Amino acid sequence: MTGILFLALAVLVAVAGWEVRRRLRHQTRSGVTDEVVHRIETLGRVDEEDIEPVDLEQVRAEEDEFWAQTWDEPEEDW
C-alpha cells in the first residue's frame, strides 16, 4: 500500500514538473537582456526605443478578472 502511494506521489510530482517546464518554455521573454542592463549601467538610462509598450487592453482585462473574483468574508470569533 505504501509503495502505491509513493508511486502515485512520484507521478504527481513528475507531471507537475513537466507542466512547469512547459509553461516556462512558452512564456514570453522579458525585454530586459544583458545588453540592456549593460547600457543602463554605462549610460544611466534606457533609450525610448528599447522600451516595450504596455498592452493596456490586457492589463484592463486582467484587472477586471481580478475584481470579478468573489472573496470569502472573514469569520468572526466571539
Side-chain angles (χ1 to χ4, degrees):
M1 183 68 172
T2 305
I4 294 172
L5 183 60
F6 178 74
L7 181 62
L9 185 59
V11 169
L12 182 64
V13 168
V15 169
W18 177 78
E19 181 67 22
V20 168
R21 287 190 63 175
R22 186 182 66 81
R23 284 185 185 177
L24 288 176
R25 243 185 291 131
H26 294 295
Q27 203 174 45
T28 58
R29 288 185 47 102
S30 155
V32 180
T33 62
D34 289 340
E35 180 184 332
V36 172
V37 171
H38 181 67
R39 258 191 263 150
I40 293 170
E41 291 173 342
T42 56
L43 300 175
R45 63 185 167 81
V46 178
D47 294 328
E48 197 171 308
E49 67 265 2
D50 294 337
I51 299 173
E52 208 172 294
V54 176
D55 184 2
L56 295 178
E57 290 300 319
Q58 180 184 5
V59 171
R60 190 171 292 116
E62 290 181 17
E63 185 177 81
D64 290 342
E65 181 181 331
F66 173 81
W67 289 112
Q69 293 179 5
T70 58
W71 304 95
D72 295 336
E73 294 295 323
E75 295 180 16
E76 294 184 21
D77 295 329
W78 291 97

